[in-house]
Structure formats: structure tokens, C-alpha cells
Amino acid sequence: MPAKGYILITFICSLAMKSVFLSCLLSHLYLLVYSQYTITGQVTDDFGMPLMGANIYIESTYQGAVSDMNGDYSIRNILPGTYMLSVSYIGYEQESQVILLNSDLRVDFTLSKKYILADEVIVTSTRARDKLPVAYTNVTNDEIRERNLGQDIPYVLGMTPSIVTSSDAGAGIGYTNFRIRGTDLNRINITVNGIPLNDAESHGVWWVDLPDFAGSVDNVQIQRGVGTSVNGAAGFGATMNFQTFTLKNSPYAELSSSFGSFRTLKNSISVGSGLINGKFTFDLRLSDIQSDGYIDRAFSDLRSYHFQGAWYTRKSILKVNLFSGKEKTYQAWYGVPSPLLESNRTFNPAGMIINTAGDTSYYDNETDNYTQDHYQILFSYEINKVLLFNSALHYTYGRGYYEEYRQDQALSDYQINDVIYGIDTVTASDLIRQKWLNNDFYGIIWSLRYKEGRVDAFLGGGLNRYDGKHFGRVIWARHAGGSEINHEWYRGTGVKTDAHIYIKLNWQIARDLGIFGDIQYRYIHYMITGIDDDLRNIGQEHDYGFLNPKFGIHYEFSNNHSFFVSFAMANREPNRANFVDADPAHPVPEHETLMDYEVGYKMGLNKLLFEANIYYMDYANQLVLTGEINDVGAPIMTNIPDSYRAGIEIIAGIKPFDRFQWDLNLTLSRNKIIGFTEYVDNWDYWNDPGNEPYQVTNYLGETNLAFSPSVIMGSRFSYEIINNLKISLQSKYVGKQYIDNTSSDNRVLDRYFVNDAVIGYHFNTKPVKEIVLSMMVNNLFNTRYETNAWIYRYYTGGEEYYMDGFFPQAGIHLLGGIMLKF
């Protein structure tokens, strides 16, 4: 580890040891105050064979255990009382027993094999499980539904640890994004049913392309750090695994409507067949979302559907997933200039037209338009008791454009000849342009799982291909000359082949000690052809071969306390923008490398949960904005040799009495660049070339990584007032964020503390099976805050100036909903 790491790790470890000491002190005080008992037992199958790795847990508490190779388990330090004791094991029916605990107790379980294969097997190769050395959070269907009133996935998951969300339109609908530990979406691996969702060229994910996707999600696992990611281009700084529709045995229908501030309206219908003849099911969801947004004209018009057909047998699952989203949003990605934040927080410059008299109007179709179709065929087959085969074929078809009105554009920039009117020559014109992206992404992924006794191993891989077409059209010009209708002024392609293979092993050496190992080899071939929108030839070709190892140890020194340590290495190739925008006179952008060191501790008691995760993410050649520009003056991302993120994540939960629960997460971190040099444009050079440098450079030494707050806190108080009526207060604190990498206090997003209130009530009636009423009051105390920004700085006349854009979020606003279940 570099020398700089030792001081930092020592500092963080001291915090961690204090946290662990505190948790142990709390647990001992807790045990001294109350009497406590032990539950032991064995988990076997119908033939009396022990089941290793079964999860035994006490519902409504934080206590549980995992059975050992003999099927034995033990849960200690349990308070007296009446509990529901449950056990689950993949491929077997879940069993539960009500127990009265007033002394030590033995409870054995005999699990019956499911008569059909369980959906969980589909995501086994991408998911972390108990006793794996990974920092992760599981989000259940109930938690997703509580907040799913129309906002995008980032806002549905916004209370999970180390996450910071942002919305261009200011209300969580439209273009939204998130960061985890300061890592942006270009470096977060997103999979749906194990299939990559990240765009292979840009590495990004745009949730606006999948409206109401939360309505299809059964559960999601968020892994912080490199984690267990194996599929996808962005498996670098965090991982998110979504699993969609899982088996519902009975037919169902759900009608839901949400409505709220900014003329937000969401309507959705979901229906399912249940299990037909013990083998076949189908599920269907249709959704429509409309919202004006908080920012001026930032409307969203969103539609989506999801269809799934599945065939189940005792040993196999065949699923066909078809889901699609269509979005039309008014552009809000320019932000609000900082001088207007106090006087006009909703100002949107997109589409602005200023006529010769100085009057201002706005083009009404300054919009983004995109449709994305996903086709998945998933197949799982249990070869025998120890071997499971998973595979998936996938195809994604995306197409769309964004449209812009542009004034006084040079015709030559659009490959349009000058227009001659008599003796006058017109060289510039107002025009409307569209920038198009059509892409095809398809491939296959597979895995073979071997599980017997103490060994759980995977062999897997995938082969994916991306074919993207980038082109621009001028659909109208005030002076069009001899150009054709829908005149095309540029066209380029990007073709990418991505192949990988991996082996991973989880070996339970002893009852309390397990090791994890994973090694992946990934090969990428990427070819770019054609010209870009500035008419530069961007043809190039790149090949990469990455070896990504992972290793970890998990130790459980009682069923109440466990510990892990892990190391993972990840490599990430530059994305299309990094290559296309690069200055041809400079070296080609290099791939980034991450060394991720993690240490974790967990304590689970009857009414108390405590976790502490330490991380040290050491980057080589991370690509960041330094202010450097290319040969035509466009900003580029530059490799910096040395940077890191380090911190501690604390996760706690307490259930002091029935009906009340408090969940808390806190992240404290340092996020640094070692030896940073900034570059600022000098406009005086362009006015008088040769007399001044075209960029002013300043060596700043150690600086903070942009958009990486040193403090992130989430809190959720939940209280069930009466049966089926639940209210929760959800709070989020995000510390100061620098909006560039210079650490200047003149360029920051101020810290903010935002609170949301969520109320839910459900009751049974006839002929409706259940009615669910929801209300969410966002930004309860009307806090003024911004979550994202950009800045451009320059010198002219020897003075420094800037242009910027901030993204304000809405003040207090409401969302209410009703769902009818049949």
C-alpha cells in the first residue's frame, strides 16, 4: 500500500476500533440488564440430510444464524418473549414456527424441496450472501413500494448508505442520478436479472429511459466498493443488482394512481396469472407518468411496459422478459446560473431565443426523446443436487435524439454551403438540429454453480456486442440553401465487443471461518469510426485485457458478532467521450485501476444492529476533469496518477419497543487527489495568439475530489400508530461538496439537511382485496438546496470570470397515491 495510505488507514482504523468498542460495550450492557437465552437446532431435508448454509432468523429482530456443514445452528443472547422463528434455503420451502422463549430452547427444522425451482437461483452468481466479505445492503419489495409514487430509482433508493441523489428537474422525475461513496454512475455496475444495463460506450445509466422501473423490481442489492460484480462495463466503484418479477402463486391485479405537486400524475396497472397448471405464469405492468417538474418547462412525459412469461418445473426455469420505456423530457441539464439562485431558482435557459429587438422567447420542443426496448431470455437448470446452470440471452434496442434551436450558427459547421441572395452572401443561420443515437446491444451470459458441503463455487462468463450509430440532422434552417430535408452533418459509429470469464469460490473452512476468492479476465475490443459533431475525424481502435482478482476472509466469533476483510482489484476502460474528446496531440487516455481494501464488522442483537465498514479505494490513472481542453477547445478528462477515497460507514438499527424502529447510516470519508494541477482557459490568447499561453496552469498539490462529501447521513424513524397505519420520518444530511477538483471554497455545493415524511395505510374490504393509501411530503421543512452543478472558468483582460449552472431542488412538495389490489 502506498505510504500515504498508512496514515489514513491508521486514522480510520482508530475510528473503527472506537466504533467496535462502543458496540461491544453496548451489547454487554444490554446483556447485563436483561436475561438472555439460546436457541439451537438442526436444519435437514426430507431425507434427513443436513442443509448447510440455511438462513435461520428471528423475525422483527436483528438476530439470526447460518447452519453449518452438519445443519446445526445456534442463536445466542435472545431476550425472553414470543417470536416467529423462520428458516429459508434456496430451492426449499420456507418454514416458520412461533416459539415462546423463557429458557434455552432447541428447534429443529425439516425443509421440503420446492416442487418448482426458486427464482433466487437466477441472480446467485451476482449476489453477495451472508458470510461473504462484502459491504452490501438488500432492499426488499416492501421498502421499494413504500416510496414508489412516480419518482425514479435514485430517489426510491436514496436512503441507503453512502448514496447522494440529484434531479435535473428538481423533483425526482425525469433525468436523475446518484453517486455511491462519491463514485458516479459511469463507474457503478448496474445489472437487471444479472444482465448489464450500463451503456457499453458511455458506461452510463439513464433511469428516465425506464419509467416506473421500480414497479417491476422485486428486490435489489447494493454493493459498495468493487463487490462481487462480474457482468458489465462499469464494474468499478459500486454495484447494483436488480431482480424483477418473481413468482406469485395466485392471480392478482393492481391498479394504482399517484398525484402531487407540479401536476405530477402516475397511473399504473399490474396483472398476473398466478401459477397455471403448476408450471406457467405471466406478469404485465403498464405505466404512464406526467410531471411539469420544479424547474421551468422541465416537463416529463414517460411511458413504459413490462411483460414476463415464465415456465417452471422442479429442475428448471425459463423466463421471457420484455420491458420498454419511452421518454420525452424538456431539457433541464444546463442548470441555473448562480447569480439567479436567490431571485429565480426555477430559471431554465434551455431553448431561449432572443430576437433582434432583444425580446426573449423559448422554443417549445427543446426536448430529449428516447425509446429503449429490452428483451431477455433467462434459463436456469438444476443438473443435480450440487450443480446449477444459469444462462441468459439479451438484446437492447435504443433509439432517439435531442432537439435544439440554435441561433446564428455558421453554415460551414453543418456542411451547408453559404447562401447567396443577389449580392449578399449569408454564412450563418438560425436552425433546429437533432443529435441522434441508435444502438443495439446483445449477448449471452452464463454461470455454472457447484455447491456441496463447505464449498460454493462458480464458473461463468459472457460475450456482449454493442453497435452504436451517432449522427446529427438539421431539420430546419432559416437559410437552408441547397441542403436537403433532414440534412445530415455528421455520422460516426462505435462498435464494442466485450468478453469475460470468471471463477469464484466461497469455502467455509470451519464453522466460524470462510474465505472468498474471485478472479475475472475481461477482454474489450472497441472501434470508433466517422466524424464527430465538430467535423473532426474520430476514427480509432483500442484493445484491452484486464485481470480482476478479489479475495476476502469472513470470521464469525459468535452468532452476534462477525468480521471480514477483503481486497479487490478492478479496471475500467475509458468511455467514448474520453476517447472522442481527447486532444490528438496528447497521449491516448489510459484505463483506470482501483485497489479496494475493505474491513467490516457486524453485531446483531435482539433489538439492536450495528455495522461498521472501513474502505480504502486507491486509484491509479483515475480520469477526472482538470480544466484541460482539446485542439478545438472542448473540455477533456485527464488521467491523474494518484487519488483515493477512504472512509468508514456506520449502519445501525434499533427497535426499542413494538411498532417503533430507527434505522441510521453514516459515512465519514476523505476523498483526495495527490498532486493536482488545474488548467484555466485564457481568452486573451485567442484574441492575440502567441503572446500568452492558451491556458493558465496552477499546481495545487493535494485537493478534494469533486462531488465527494466527507459526511453523508441517512436516518429513518418508523412508527406503526395502529395496525396497518405507519408513519416514517426520513432524513438525509449531505456535507459540503466541491464542484470541481480545486478545493476552492468559492466553488461548492453547500451542505444540506432534508426531511421527508411518509404515511401509509392499508385495509381489507370487498370486492377489493386490499386498498393501500400513501402520502409523501418531500422536503418537509422547505429547505433550499442544490445537489449538482457545473462551472467553466476563463481569463480575459487579465481577470478571471466564470459561467456556471446549479441544480436547485424543490421546496416542500407532495405526492399521494392509492392502490387497489384484487
Side-chain angles (χ1 to χ4, degrees), residues 283-559:
D283 299 272
L284 174 67
R285 176 187 57 80
L286 303 172
S287 298
D288 180 274
I289 301 174
Q290 310 285 326
S291 180
D292 285 349
Y294 168 66
I295 301 298
D296 294 343
R297 300 179 309 285
F299 70 79
S300 297
D301 183 1
L302 315 173
R303 294 178 177 84
S304 66
Y305 77 83
H306 191 152
F307 171 81
Q308 176 183 279
W311 184 268
Y312 295 87
T313 72
R314 189 177 182 89
K315 287 184 169 289
S316 65
I317 302 174
L318 177 64
K319 284 190 174 185
V320 176
N321 260 317
L322 312 174
F323 56 100
S324 175
K326 183 176 183 180
E327 61 93 3
K328 182 174 184 178
T329 56
Y330 197 95
Q331 295 168 25
W333 52 56
Y334 296 106
V336 179
S338 56
L340 296 180
L341 285 174
E342 293 300 320
S343 60
N344 188 4
R345 291 178 62 80
T346 64
F347 174 75
N348 183 6
M352 180 184 291
I353 303 170
I354 303 176
N355 64 20
T356 54
D359 298 325
T360 299
S361 62
Y362 293 90
Y363 179 51
D364 62 5
N365 200 39
E366 192 92 350
T367 57
D368 184 71
N369 306 262
Y370 200 73
T371 301
Q372 193 174 77
D373 303 328
H374 296 258
Y375 306 88
Q376 301 179 347
I377 300 176
L378 311 168
F379 178 67
S380 298
Y381 180 66
E382 187 180 71
I383 300 171
N384 54 41
K385 294 182 68 174
V386 299
L387 285 175
L388 174 71
F389 177 72
N390 274 318
S391 64
L393 294 170
H394 66 89
Y395 171 59
T396 302
Y397 175 41
R399 65 276 187 198
Y401 63 90
Y402 64 90
E403 185 168 307
E404 300 174 303
Y405 189 101
R406 287 292 178 263
Q407 292 185 276
D408 199 28
Q409 300 286 290
L411 292 173
S412 59
D413 289 346
Y414 294 86
Q415 300 199 70
I416 299 175
N417 295 327
D418 293 345
V419 181
I420 299 175
Y421 296 109
I423 63 172
D424 295 324
T425 300
V426 177
T427 61
S429 173
D430 294 351
L431 54 81
I432 299 172
R433 70 186 191 184
Q434 294 178 345
K435 288 189 172 183
W436 280 80
L437 171 61
N438 287 1
N439 51 31
D440 301 272
F441 178 54
Y442 51 91
I444 182 173
I445 61 171
W446 61 274
S447 68
L448 182 67
R449 181 187 190 186
Y450 172 83
K451 188 176 190 305
E452 183 174 25
R454 299 180 178 184
V455 175
D456 190 3
F458 291 87
L459 171 66
L463 177 63
N464 302 305
R465 181 180 173 89
Y466 176 93
D467 188 351
K469 302 174 183 64
H470 306 256
F471 57 96
R473 291 173 174 167
V474 177
I475 65 170
W476 174 85
R478 189 175 304 281
H479 304 286
S483 62
E484 298 179 350
I485 297 174
N486 290 329
H487 167 76
E488 186 175 293
W489 92 88
Y490 75 91
R491 178 174 285 267
T493 66
V495 178
K496 187 173 186 179
T497 301
D498 185 337
H500 69 276
I501 189 168
Y502 63 87
I503 299 173
K504 62 171 61 177
L505 169 69
N506 186 32
W507 180 24
Q508 197 67 29
I509 298 175
R511 176 171 182 164
D512 300 326
L513 179 64
I515 63 171
F516 171 79
D518 179 354
I519 188 164
Q520 178 206 47
Y521 177 76
R522 182 166 172 250
Y523 169 75
I524 303 106
H525 176 75
Y526 184 34
M527 182 170 65
I528 302 172
T529 64
I531 60 174
D532 202 18
D533 60 354
D534 55 12
L535 307 184
R536 290 181 303 129
N537 188 320
I538 55 174
Q540 51 194 288
E541 194 167 355
H542 305 276
D543 289 277
Y544 296 94
F546 297 138
L547 195 65
N548 299 319
K550 306 179 183 77
F551 176 78
I553 298 172
H554 184 278
Y555 179 66
E556 189 174 86
F557 44 95
S558 79
N559 71 282

Side-chain angles (χ1 to χ4, degrees), residues 117-250:
L117 197 60
D119 289 287
E120 293 93 331
V121 301
I122 291 173
V123 293
T124 52
S125 66
T126 58
R127 287 286 174 94
R129 299 175 299 282
D130 286 341
K131 298 192 177 184
L132 278 188
V134 176
Y136 69 92
T137 298
N138 289 325
V139 184
T140 66
N141 183 265
D142 288 341
E143 293 172 299
I144 293 168
R145 288 195 164 213
E146 182 179 89
R147 286 193 66 103
N148 184 25
L149 296 177
Q151 292 178 310
D152 292 344
I153 284 289
Y155 283 73
V156 174
L157 303 178
M159 293 305 299
T160 54
S162 297
I163 194 168
V164 177
T165 61
S166 183
S167 166
D168 285 8
I173 299 174
Y175 270 85
T176 59
N177 62 76
F178 59 77
R179 296 172 183 266
I180 297 177
R181 293 183 178 174
T183 299
D184 61 53
L185 262 173
N186 289 335
R187 294 170 173 84
I188 297 174
N189 180 228
I190 311 291
T191 61
V192 177
N193 302 318
I195 295 170
L197 183 63
N198 299 76
D199 181 83
E201 273 201 300
S202 68
H203 300 180
V205 173
W206 290 270
W207 301 107
V208 70
D209 296 338
L210 295 174
D212 196 26
F213 183 60
S216 297
V217 174
D218 182 80
N219 59 84
V220 58
Q221 184 177 91
I222 304 169
Q223 299 174 14
R224 301 178 296 280
V226 174
T228 62
S229 57
V230 290
N231 301 323
F236 197 65
T239 298
M240 216 174 254
N241 300 311
F242 291 89
Q243 184 172 19
T244 58
F245 293 124
T246 55
L247 174 64
K248 292 182 175 62
N249 287 303
S250 302

